[in-house]
Amino acid sequence: MTATTPDAAAAPSAPDWPHCGRGTDSIGCRGRRVDPYAECLAHLGAADRSAYLTGLHPGADLDHRGTPFTEELLRELLAAFRDPATGRTRLGSVWFHETRFSGDVSFHAVEFSGEARFSGAAFDGATRFSQASFGADVTFDGAEFGDDAYFSRAEFSSSVWFNGARFRGGAKFDRAEFGGGAWFIVALFHDGAWFNGARFRGDARFEGVEIRHHAGFVGTVFERASEIGPLVCLGELDLSEAVFEAAVTIEAATATLLCRRTRWTSTAALRLRYAAVDLGDAVLEYPVSIAARSRPFTMYGVEELPEQDLTDPRVRIMSLRGVDAAHLVLTDVDLTHTLFAGTIHLDQLRLEGLYALALTPTGLRRRGLRPVRWTPRRTLAEEHHWRAARFAGAGGWAPAPDGEEVLEPAALAPVYRQLRKSFEDGKHEPGAADFYYGEMEMRRHANDIPRSERILLTAYWALSGYGLRASRALGWLMLAMTVTVLVMMLWGLPKDDPKPLSTGTFDGRRITMTTTTPDPVNPDGPFRERLSTQRFEKSLRVVINSVVFRSSGQSLTTVGTYSEMASRFGEPVLLGLAALAVRGRVKR
């Protein structure tokens, strides 16, 4: 076996077409010879070039593989194909494999009636294929675009391939028409990709695509696309107002995913990484699932797509306003900043896997000079916005983003109510309890309810946290029992237990006995004498019996009698509220 040196291994091979060969190296110019000459078009003499161009006509085929083109040379070539009747440039089949175009290139409004092959071509300057029409297959596999590439309003009647293409500038396919399949497999877009208003009538494949800036598919129509991605977009991936007419799977790792007013007319599965997702006013006619993917996307199950410039691994749902949630399933997503108000059928939203909601501020906070501690619970982002605006300086509540309207409690109470029902239907009682608490909080602060109802709700909140805070109810119960015990010891128990007094009369044949108990005598003397162990034990027995709604049978003063009545009414209620709160936390 003959050894091969590294330089020899790296040396380019000769093209597989008859080439010009002009130059100093062993291969020379790779341009396709222009028959019947020995040179390519770039190296033809002026007379021969003029003769060749004169012999061309609109609709003729071209083969200039590997030929280096300047702006002027390309203009001369295309001028020979201009149809005087229509004023448009019309080409047949063209082969520009490995062709290098220096300077700006314009195929604007050119008609390609046959196949167009630009595989491996290099475009050094701006490239314009805007309003061009392609009547057969088009290939740009491995092409290099050094500056912005314009394919706006281009019409691709058949399939088009951009596999492995490199766009060093922005790529603009706005309002382009793709009649057949469109393949952009492992294409690289350095400065954004724009397909706004485009229409894909066939399949659209974007596997392994890397977009290092923003990508726009605003108003794009996908008629038959079944799978988009996996792709990486380091900026904003905008699918707003796009229409997906067939069942589709979208896989993307992107910083932001905008789906405002996006329409899915069939089922869809979105598998995402890193994305902040805005679904505002999206239309879901069939079930749509959004799930966070824990592992990086791979190309053909082997090579991981580059995600090193994306930082936040969570999939965050930013807005569901205007969405019909009856068809929506969210899995392993972060709902901390989600705007829920305005969501339709929110009670039918399905949450699966591990998901996070906004929480109340933790620790001891200060409102003015008064320290406060917020009850731990799940909340809405909109409640954070309202409290941050109302209790400025309290700390811990997230303010509304710039330009976002702060909703009042009256608008948030129904949102909490629908989420509570969703959790109840999902048998998630602790979560439902948190949303019930939020609903009651919003009702208590709402300005559209009577004052009497607000006072009642405030009392309900203060005594037991709306029947959901066992510690609060038990605390009030202990306080009530302590106060009742003290009242009993100081004023409720008589000075001495009254002893029954029996009297009788004898009429000669029978004795009539009458037993009476004297009225209890109010205690007197210093308070410290009334706070004895014996009186404490009697008072505690009275209070404990009151808690379980029983009478102690103890003789009491007038004050003690009314205190026991109040205790037998209030303290069992507090005990019941505590039991209700515990049940709400442990029930499944």
Side-chain angles (χ1 to χ4, degrees):
M1 179 180 291
T2 304
T4 303
T5 64
D7 289 343
S13 59
D16 57 1
W17 56 80
H19 64 288
C20 174
R22 294 281 294 271
T24 57
D25 59 32
S26 59
I27 297 177
C29 175
R30 302 171 64 86
R32 173 75 161 80
R33 294 176 184 173
V34 177
D35 295 332
Y37 308 104
E39 295 86 8
C40 67
L41 183 61
H43 292 108
L44 275 180
D48 292 339
R49 181 187 302 172
S50 177
Y52 168 72
L53 296 176
T54 302
L56 298 176
H57 59 86
D61 295 340
L62 280 179
D63 185 357
H64 290 293
R65 290 173 283 179
T67 302
F69 273 88
T70 62
E71 292 184 47
E72 181 179 358
L73 179 59
L74 182 61
R75 279 197 300 268
E76 292 180 14
L77 177 64
L78 295 182
F81 290 88
R82 185 169 294 112
D83 190 337
T86 63
R88 296 196 64 176
T89 301
R90 185 160 49 88
L91 303 176
S93 296
V94 298
W95 292 269
F96 286 101
H97 300 76
E98 301 182 22
T99 298
R100 176 169 293 276
F101 297 90
S102 60
D104 294 343
V105 174
S106 179
F107 286 91
H108 174 74
V110 172
E111 296 180 8
F112 296 85
S113 58
E115 60 182 4
R117 306 295 183 183
F118 290 87
S119 300
F123 301 86
D124 294 341
T127 307
R128 287 175 172 81
F129 283 88
S130 51
Q131 298 186 38
S133 61
F134 298 87
D137 290 349
V138 182
T139 304
F140 284 91
D141 290 345
E144 293 273 351
F145 297 87
D147 205 337
D148 289 346
Y150 299 88
F151 289 85
S152 304
R153 296 177 178 266
E155 297 181 5
F156 300 92
S157 300
S158 189
S159 297
V160 56
W161 288 267
F162 283 89
N163 298 333
R166 298 292 184 265
F167 296 86
R168 306 295 177 184
K172 297 175 174 60
F173 291 84
D174 297 336
R175 302 185 69 177
E177 293 276 345
F178 297 88
W183 282 265
F184 291 84
I185 298 174
V186 299
L188 173 62
F189 298 87
H190 279 265
D191 197 25
W194 312 102
F195 293 83
N196 299 329
R199 178 178 288 270
F200 293 88
R201 300 186 185 277
D203 204 357
R205 308 302 293 267
F206 290 86
E207 289 98 323
V209 167
E210 182 182 356
I211 305 169
R212 296 183 179 175
H213 198 57
H214 303 312
F217 291 84
V218 178
T220 303
V221 178
F222 298 89
E223 295 186 5
R224 297 172 56 192
S226 61
E227 185 176 354
I228 296 179
L231 61 85
V232 174
C233 179
L234 302 185
E236 183 178 273
L237 178 58
D238 196 347
L239 299 178
S240 298
E241 300 181 16
V243 179
F244 295 88
E245 298 183 352
V248 64
T249 298
I250 301 174
E251 297 181 318
T254 180
T256 303
L257 176 62
L258 299 182
C259 296
R260 298 169 183 161
R261 295 177 297 279
T262 303
R263 178 185 294 272
W264 282 278
T265 62
S266 187
T267 58
L270 281 68
R271 300 166 185 166
L272 306 173
R273 286 175 58 79
Y274 300 96
V277 185
D278 186 347
L279 288 170
D281 297 312
V283 178
L284 284 56
E285 299 183 12
Y286 285 84
V288 174
S289 65
I290 300 177
R293 181 182 171 96
S294 59
R295 302 183 64 181
F297 293 113
T298 59
M299 189 61 185
Y300 304 119
V302 179
E303 182 180 358
E304 293 185 357
L305 300 187
E307 303 175 352
Q308 61 272 14
D309 293 324
L310 295 170
T311 55
D312 193 339
R314 301 172 300 166
V315 173
R316 292 144 287 146
I317 307 298
M318 306 307 294
S319 176
L320 293 177
R321 288 183 174 176
V323 176
D324 189 343
H327 295 303
L328 184 59
V329 181
L330 303 177
T331 304
D332 297 330
V333 297
D334 189 316
L335 302 170
T336 302
H337 303 286
T338 305
L339 301 178
F340 286 101
T343 305
I344 304 168
H345 295 141
L346 185 56
D347 58 322
Q348 299 180 40
L349 174 66
R350 287 179 54 191
L351 299 176
E352 298 182 353
L354 298 176
Y355 51 88
L357 287 149
L359 302 175
T360 54
T362 58
L364 195 64
R365 303 281 175 170
R366 185 175 299 276
R367 186 192 299 173
L369 298 177
R370 180 166 60 93
V372 295
R373 180 180 178 275
W374 302 102
T375 301
R377 61 182 173 90
R378 301 172 180 88
T379 66
L380 297 178
E382 288 97 334
E383 182 181 348
H384 271 258
H385 302 164
W386 172 75
R387 290 190 182 272
R390 175 169 179 176
F391 306 116
W397 296 100
D402 293 339
E404 188 62 47
E405 179 185 3
V406 177
L407 301 180
E408 292 298 316
L412 298 181
V415 182
Y416 272 115
R417 188 178 307 121
Q418 292 185 69
L419 281 173
R420 171 172 61 87
K421 184 177 183 301
S422 174
F423 275 60
E424 287 174 345
D425 293 343
K427 307 302 180 183
H428 191 333
E429 294 297 335
D434 280 350
F435 289 122
Y436 173 73
Y437 193 104
E439 176 190 352
M440 300 300 286
E441 276 288 271
M442 295 300 98
R443 288 180 56 193
R444 181 167 70 92
H445 290 287
N447 54 13
D448 63 341
I449 63 173
R451 181 178 178 83
S452 58
E453 183 179 345
R454 188 179 295 121
I455 293 174
L456 181 62
L457 289 173
T458 301
Y460 191 23
W461 163 78
L463 290 176
S464 65
Y466 309 112
L468 296 173
R469 299 296 179 257
S471 59
R472 193 176 303 180
L474 290 174
W476 281 109
L477 177 60
M478 292 297 103
L479 178 61
M481 292 175 65
T482 301
V483 171
T484 306
V485 167
L486 286 175
V487 170
M488 289 294 178
M489 293 176 68
L490 296 176
W491 301 286
L493 295 178
K495 180 177 182 180
D496 295 303
D497 289 336
K499 294 182 173 55
L501 178 64
S502 299
T503 59
T505 58
F506 180 67
D507 59 1
R509 289 185 300 174
R510 58 182 180 177
I511 298 175
T512 302
M513 302 294 294
T514 301
T515 302
T516 60
T517 301
D519 292 335
V521 179
N522 291 329
D524 55 14
F527 284 161
R528 65 176 179 272
E529 293 181 1
R530 305 182 200 179
L531 301 176
S532 63
T533 304
Q534 184 179 10
R535 291 176 66 84
F536 171 75
E537 182 181 355
K538 291 180 179 179
S539 300
L540 183 61
R541 191 160 47 243
V542 171
V543 172
I544 292 176
N545 278 283
S546 297
V547 171
V548 295
F549 213 73
R550 293 176 54 189
S551 175
S552 64
Q554 173 69 46
S555 297
L556 300 173
T557 65
T558 301
V559 173
T561 299
Y562 282 105
S563 297
E564 184 185 37
M565 291 171 60
S567 176
R568 291 179 64 186
F569 172 78
E571 291 169 4
V573 171
L574 292 172
L575 181 62
L577 290 173
L580 182 65
V582 172
R583 178 180 179 275
R585 284 296 171 184
V586 300
K587 181 181 177 182
R588 294 290 180 181

Tab-separated table of all heavy atoms in Angstrom, residues 253-295:
chain	number	residue	atom	x	y	z
A	253	ALA	N	-34.956	23.946	20.430
A	253	ALA	CA	-34.284	24.547	21.574
A	253	ALA	C	-34.086	26.011	21.223
A	253	ALA	O	-33.328	26.335	20.304
A	253	ALA	CB	-32.944	23.862	21.841
A	254	THR	N	-34.778	26.892	21.906
A	254	THR	CA	-34.756	28.308	21.542
A	254	THR	C	-34.964	29.158	22.783
A	254	THR	O	-35.569	28.709	23.762
A	254	THR	CB	-35.849	28.621	20.501
A	254	THR	OG1	-35.807	30.000	20.168
A	254	THR	CG2	-37.229	28.263	21.023
A	255	ALA	N	-34.459	30.389	22.728
A	255	ALA	CA	-34.610	31.280	23.869
A	255	ALA	C	-36.059	31.725	24.033
A	255	ALA	O	-36.572	31.792	25.146
A	255	ALA	CB	-33.689	32.494	23.711
A	256	THR	N	-36.734	32.006	22.926
A	256	THR	CA	-38.114	32.484	22.967
A	256	THR	C	-38.896	31.853	21.821
A	256	THR	O	-38.410	31.781	20.696
A	256	THR	CB	-38.172	34.021	22.830
A	256	THR	OG1	-37.399	34.615	23.871
A	256	THR	CG2	-39.604	34.521	22.927
A	257	LEU	N	-40.093	31.408	22.124
A	257	LEU	CA	-40.990	30.863	21.103
A	257	LEU	C	-42.292	31.656	21.152
A	257	LEU	O	-43.016	31.615	22.152
A	257	LEU	CB	-41.262	29.380	21.335
A	257	LEU	CG	-42.261	28.721	20.373
A	257	LEU	CD1	-41.751	28.786	18.943
A	257	LEU	CD2	-42.552	27.286	20.777
A	258	LEU	N	-42.580	32.375	20.087
A	258	LEU	CA	-43.813	33.157	19.996
A	258	LEU	C	-44.825	32.410	19.137
A	258	LEU	O	-44.548	32.083	17.985
A	258	LEU	CB	-43.531	34.526	19.386
A	258	LEU	CG	-42.549	35.433	20.147
A	258	LEU	CD1	-42.402	36.775	19.441
A	258	LEU	CD2	-43.006	35.643	21.582
A	259	CYS	N	-45.985	32.150	19.720
A	259	CYS	CA	-47.077	31.487	18.998
A	259	CYS	C	-48.349	32.316	19.128
A	259	CYS	O	-49.431	31.783	19.359
A	259	CYS	CB	-47.298	30.076	19.537
A	259	CYS	SG	-45.909	28.952	19.305
A	260	ARG	N	-48.227	33.617	18.982
A	260	ARG	CA	-49.387	34.497	19.102
A	260	ARG	C	-50.283	34.349	17.872
A	260	ARG	O	-49.825	34.494	16.747
A	260	ARG	CB	-48.932	35.950	19.236
A	260	ARG	CG	-48.100	36.217	20.485
A	260	ARG	CD	-47.457	37.583	20.429
A	260	ARG	NE	-46.588	37.824	21.585
A	260	ARG	CZ	-45.643	38.749	21.621
A	260	ARG	NH1	-45.429	39.508	20.548
A	260	ARG	NH2	-44.900	38.908	22.695
A	261	ARG	N	-51.526	34.005	18.142
A	261	ARG	CA	-52.539	33.809	17.082
A	261	ARG	C	-52.135	32.703	16.104
A	261	ARG	O	-52.621	32.670	14.963
A	261	ARG	CB	-52.811	35.120	16.339
A	261	ARG	CG	-53.434	36.194	17.216
A	261	ARG	CD	-53.620	37.503	16.489
A	261	ARG	NE	-52.341	38.063	16.067
A	261	ARG	CZ	-51.529	38.748	16.878
A	261	ARG	NH1	-51.852	38.933	18.143
A	261	ARG	NH2	-50.393	39.234	16.433
A	262	THR	N	-51.276	31.820	16.524
A	262	THR	CA	-50.944	30.642	15.714
A	262	THR	C	-52.151	29.706	15.668
A	262	THR	O	-52.871	29.566	16.655
A	262	THR	CB	-49.727	29.920	16.307
A	262	THR	OG1	-48.641	30.844	16.387
A	262	THR	CG2	-49.316	28.739	15.464
A	263	ARG	N	-52.372	29.073	14.526
A	263	ARG	CA	-53.534	28.187	14.370
A	263	ARG	C	-53.067	26.767	14.076
A	263	ARG	O	-52.286	26.534	13.149
A	263	ARG	CB	-54.437	28.678	13.238
A	263	ARG	CG	-55.652	27.777	12.978
A	263	ARG	CD	-56.433	28.272	11.771
A	263	ARG	NE	-57.032	29.565	12.035
A	263	ARG	CZ	-58.238	29.733	12.596
A	263	ARG	NH1	-58.965	28.671	12.919
A	263	ARG	NH2	-58.718	30.941	12.799
A	264	TRP	N	-53.554	25.830	14.903
A	264	TRP	CA	-53.326	24.408	14.656
A	264	TRP	C	-54.674	23.783	14.295
A	264	TRP	O	-55.569	23.705	15.136
A	264	TRP	CB	-52.749	23.731	15.892
A	264	TRP	CG	-51.290	23.971	16.095
A	264	TRP	CD1	-50.251	23.322	15.493
A	264	TRP	CD2	-50.690	24.951	16.960
A	264	TRP	NE1	-49.048	23.827	15.935
A	264	TRP	CE2	-49.278	24.817	16.833
A	264	TRP	CE3	-51.180	25.907	17.832
A	264	TRP	CZ2	-48.379	25.604	17.546
A	264	TRP	CZ3	-50.302	26.701	18.540
A	264	TRP	CH2	-48.918	26.552	18.391
A	265	THR	N	-54.824	23.354	13.050
A	265	THR	CA	-56.077	22.741	12.611
A	265	THR	C	-56.034	21.227	12.722
A	265	THR	O	-56.959	20.551	12.276
A	265	THR	CB	-56.390	23.146	11.163
A	265	THR	OG1	-55.352	22.676	10.306
A	265	THR	CG2	-56.501	24.655	11.044
A	266	SER	N	-54.962	20.700	13.281
A	266	SER	CA	-54.852	19.271	13.555
A	266	SER	C	-54.040	19.122	14.845
A	266	SER	O	-53.672	20.108	15.478
A	266	SER	CB	-54.175	18.547	12.389
A	266	SER	OG	-54.210	17.136	12.597
A	267	THR	N	-53.787	17.909	15.242
A	267	THR	CA	-53.035	17.681	16.473
A	267	THR	C	-51.590	18.162	16.321
A	267	THR	O	-51.040	18.190	15.222
A	267	THR	CB	-53.043	16.201	16.841
A	267	THR	OG1	-52.483	15.446	15.749
A	267	THR	CG2	-54.454	15.710	17.113
A	268	ALA	N	-51.000	18.520	17.437
A	268	ALA	CA	-49.625	19.011	17.412
A	268	ALA	C	-48.946	18.664	18.725
A	268	ALA	O	-49.578	18.641	19.786
A	268	ALA	CB	-49.572	20.517	17.179
A	269	ALA	N	-47.652	18.372	18.635
A	269	ALA	CA	-46.826	18.120	19.815
A	269	ALA	C	-45.604	19.018	19.731
A	269	ALA	O	-44.850	18.953	18.757
A	269	ALA	CB	-46.417	16.649	19.883
A	270	LEU	N	-45.424	19.863	20.743
A	270	LEU	CA	-44.273	20.756	20.810
A	270	LEU	C	-43.343	20.243	21.899
A	270	LEU	O	-43.716	20.201	23.080
A	270	LEU	CB	-44.702	22.194	21.117
A	270	LEU	CG	-45.259	23.027	19.953
A	270	LEU	CD1	-46.600	22.484	19.481
A	270	LEU	CD2	-45.393	24.485	20.359
A	271	ARG	N	-42.138	19.847	21.489
A	271	ARG	CA	-41.131	19.361	22.441
A	271	ARG	C	-40.007	20.388	22.473
A	271	ARG	O	-39.316	20.583	21.467
A	271	ARG	CB	-40.611	17.991	22.017
A	271	ARG	CG	-41.712	16.938	21.953
A	271	ARG	CD	-41.293	15.695	21.218
A	271	ARG	NE	-42.398	14.749	21.068
A	271	ARG	CZ	-42.378	13.715	20.255
A	271	ARG	NH1	-41.319	13.495	19.486
A	271	ARG	NH2	-43.420	12.915	20.182
A	272	LEU	N	-39.852	21.015	23.612
A	272	LEU	CA	-39.025	22.217	23.659
A	272	LEU	C	-37.949	22.121	24.729
A	272	LEU	O	-38.051	21.345	25.676
A	272	LEU	CB	-39.910	23.438	23.947
A	272	LEU	CG	-41.112	23.647	23.020
A	272	LEU	CD1	-41.979	24.776	23.521
A	272	LEU	CD2	-40.653	23.898	21.598
A	273	ARG	N	-36.933	22.977	24.535
A	273	ARG	CA	-35.895	23.185	25.535
A	273	ARG	C	-35.607	24.685	25.616
A	273	ARG	O	-35.612	25.376	24.599
A	273	ARG	CB	-34.607	22.423	25.170
A	273	ARG	CG	-34.725	20.921	25.385
A	273	ARG	CD	-33.499	20.164	24.904
A	273	ARG	NE	-32.253	20.592	25.531
A	273	ARG	CZ	-31.849	20.237	26.754
A	273	ARG	NH1	-32.628	19.451	27.480
A	273	ARG	NH2	-30.697	20.655	27.231
A	274	TYR	N	-35.388	25.158	26.824
A	274	TYR	CA	-34.949	26.535	27.094
A	274	TYR	C	-35.989	27.608	26.785
A	274	TYR	O	-35.756	28.778	27.090
A	274	TYR	CB	-33.681	26.870	26.297
A	274	TYR	CG	-32.503	25.983	26.591
A	274	TYR	CD1	-32.223	24.890	25.788
A	274	TYR	CD2	-31.655	26.238	27.662
A	274	TYR	CE1	-31.138	24.066	26.051
A	274	TYR	CE2	-30.570	25.425	27.927
A	274	TYR	CZ	-30.311	24.339	27.123
A	274	TYR	OH	-29.246	23.522	27.384
A	275	ALA	N	-37.100	27.306	26.227
A	275	ALA	CA	-37.961	28.314	25.600
A	275	ALA	C	-38.854	29.039	26.594
A	275	ALA	O	-39.388	28.445	27.540
A	275	ALA	CB	-38.828	27.655	24.525
A	276	ALA	N	-39.023	30.347	26.356
A	276	ALA	CA	-40.090	31.133	26.963
A	276	ALA	C	-41.197	31.224	25.923
A	276	ALA	O	-41.013	31.827	24.862
A	276	ALA	CB	-39.586	32.521	27.355
A	277	VAL	N	-42.351	30.612	26.196
A	277	VAL	CA	-43.391	30.404	25.190
A	277	VAL	C	-44.553	31.362	25.424
A	277	VAL	O	-45.091	31.446	26.526
A	277	VAL	CB	-43.903	28.944	25.226
A	277	VAL	CG1	-44.897	28.694	24.103
A	277	VAL	CG2	-42.739	27.972	25.141
A	278	ASP	N	-44.933	32.067	24.378
A	278	ASP	CA	-46.089	32.959	24.411
A	278	ASP	C	-47.150	32.386	23.476
A	278	ASP	O	-46.976	32.365	22.257
A	278	ASP	CB	-45.685	34.368	23.968
A	278	ASP	CG	-46.821	35.371	24.130
A	278	ASP	OD1	-47.974	34.943	24.346
A	278	ASP	OD2	-46.558	36.582	24.037
A	279	LEU	N	-48.267	31.925	24.049
A	279	LEU	CA	-49.356	31.335	23.270
A	279	LEU	C	-50.554	32.267	23.158
A	279	LEU	O	-51.666	31.814	22.892
A	279	LEU	CB	-49.803	30.018	23.909
A	279	LEU	CG	-48.866	28.821	23.779
A	279	LEU	CD1	-49.344	27.683	24.657
A	279	LEU	CD2	-48.753	28.356	22.352
A	280	GLY	N	-50.357	33.546	23.365
A	280	GLY	CA	-51.470	34.480	23.377
A	280	GLY	C	-52.352	34.383	22.141
A	280	GLY	O	-51.875	34.502	21.011
A	281	ASP	N	-53.656	34.145	22.356
A	281	ASP	CA	-54.676	34.106	21.298
A	281	ASP	C	-54.447	33.000	20.271
A	281	ASP	O	-54.985	33.071	19.150
A	281	ASP	CB	-54.761	35.454	20.585
A	281	ASP	CG	-55.206	36.569	21.514
A	281	ASP	OD1	-56.192	36.361	22.233
A	281	ASP	OD2	-54.551	37.629	21.541
A	282	ALA	N	-53.639	32.004	20.602
A	282	ALA	CA	-53.460	30.877	19.682
A	282	ALA	C	-54.772	30.098	19.549
A	282	ALA	O	-55.578	30.044	20.487
A	282	ALA	CB	-52.346	29.959	20.180
A	283	VAL	N	-54.987	29.505	18.383
A	283	VAL	CA	-56.215	28.758	18.102
A	283	VAL	C	-55.864	27.275	18.042
A	283	VAL	O	-55.073	26.848	17.186
A	283	VAL	CB	-56.854	29.215	16.781
A	283	VAL	CG1	-58.100	28.392	16.484
A	283	VAL	CG2	-57.182	30.699	16.846
A	284	LEU	N	-56.469	26.500	18.935
A	284	LEU	CA	-56.198	25.066	19.015
A	284	LEU	C	-57.493	24.327	18.689
A	284	LEU	O	-58.387	24.217	19.524
A	284	LEU	CB	-55.726	24.680	20.420
A	284	LEU	CG	-54.293	25.010	20.841
A	284	LEU	CD1	-53.948	26.483	20.710
A	284	LEU	CD2	-54.065	24.558	22.285
A	285	GLU	N	-57.596	23.832	17.465
A	285	GLU	CA	-58.807	23.125	17.063
A	285	GLU	C	-58.759	21.654	17.456
A	285	GLU	O	-59.804	20.995	17.514
A	285	GLU	CB	-59.017	23.256	15.554
A	285	GLU	CG	-59.189	24.709	15.095
A	285	GLU	CD	-59.468	24.827	13.607
A	285	GLU	OE1	-59.762	23.777	12.984
A	285	GLU	OE2	-59.384	25.941	13.069
A	286	TYR	N	-57.569	21.142	17.705
A	286	TYR	CA	-57.374	19.754	18.128
A	286	TYR	C	-56.368	19.750	19.278
A	286	TYR	O	-55.729	20.768	19.564
A	286	TYR	CB	-56.870	18.894	16.963
A	286	TYR	CG	-57.923	18.557	15.936
A	286	TYR	CD1	-58.229	19.457	14.910
A	286	TYR	CD2	-58.632	17.360	16.001
A	286	TYR	CE1	-59.207	19.168	13.968
A	286	TYR	CE2	-59.605	17.053	15.056
A	286	TYR	CZ	-59.890	17.957	14.043
A	286	TYR	OH	-60.853	17.657	13.120
A	287	PRO	N	-56.203	18.617	19.957
A	287	PRO	CA	-55.273	18.580	21.095
A	287	PRO	C	-53.857	19.005	20.708
A	287	PRO	O	-53.305	18.556	19.704
A	287	PRO	CB	-55.325	17.116	21.535
A	287	PRO	CG	-56.675	16.642	21.115
A	287	PRO	CD	-56.965	17.347	19.830
A	288	VAL	N	-53.291	19.855	21.535
A	288	VAL	CA	-51.912	20.333	21.383
A	288	VAL	C	-51.197	20.129	22.710
A	288	VAL	O	-51.702	20.533	23.754
A	288	VAL	CB	-51.867	21.819	20.979
A	288	VAL	CG1	-50.424	22.331	20.977
A	288	VAL	CG2	-52.494	22.020	19.610
A	289	SER	N	-50.055	19.498	22.661
A	289	SER	CA	-49.276	19.271	23.880
A	289	SER	C	-47.955	20.029	23.796
A	289	SER	O	-47.338	20.097	22.737
A	289	SER	CB	-49.003	17.773	24.089
A	289	SER	OG	-48.186	17.268	23.046
A	290	ILE	N	-47.567	20.586	24.924
A	290	ILE	CA	-46.282	21.274	25.039
A	290	ILE	C	-45.530	20.618	26.181
A	290	ILE	O	-46.010	20.588	27.326
A	290	ILE	CB	-46.460	22.776	25.304
A	290	ILE	CG1	-47.236	23.427	24.164
A	290	ILE	CG2	-45.116	23.459	25.493
A	290	ILE	CD1	-47.514	24.892	24.381
A	291	ALA	N	-44.366	20.078	25.886
A	291	ALA	CA	-43.598	19.343	26.891
A	291	ALA	C	-42.152	19.809	26.881
A	291	ALA	O	-41.592	20.127	25.820
A	291	ALA	CB	-43.671	17.834	26.631
A	292	ALA	N	-41.574	19.847	28.059
A	292	ALA	CA	-40.154	20.174	28.187
A	292	ALA	C	-39.343	18.896	28.005
A	292	ALA	O	-39.644	17.866	28.619
A	292	ALA	CB	-39.863	20.798	29.541
A	293	ARG	N	-38.340	18.979	27.178
A	293	ARG	CA	-37.464	17.831	26.944
A	293	ARG	C	-36.244	17.969	27.841
A	293	ARG	O	-35.580	19.010	27.857
A	293	ARG	CB	-37.055	17.773	25.474
A	293	ARG	CG	-36.150	16.596	25.133
A	293	ARG	CD	-35.748	16.647	23.663
A	293	ARG	NE	-34.722	15.680	23.354
A	293	ARG	CZ	-34.932	14.477	22.861
A	293	ARG	NH1	-36.169	14.091	22.634
A	293	ARG	NH2	-33.925	13.669	22.580
A	294	SER	N	-35.932	16.922	28.574
A	294	SER	CA	-34.851	16.997	29.551
A	294	SER	C	-33.470	16.810	28.937
A	294	SER	O	-32.481	17.331	29.450
A	294	SER	CB	-35.064	15.943	30.645
A	294	SER	OG	-35.099	14.628	30.074
A	295	ARG	N	-33.374	16.097	27.833
A	295	ARG	CA	-32.076	15.810	27.233
A	295	ARG	C	-31.913	16.587	25.926
A	295	ARG	O	-32.892	16.899	25.249
A	295	ARG	CB	-31.940	14.313	26.970
A	295	ARG	CG	-32.105	13.451	28.219
A	295	ARG	CD	-31.894	11.984	27.921
A	295	ARG	NE	-30.538	11.713	27.497
A	295	ARG	CZ	-30.088	10.502	27.163
A	295	ARG	NH1	-30.917	9.470	27.201
A	295	ARG	NH2	-28.838	10.331	26.792
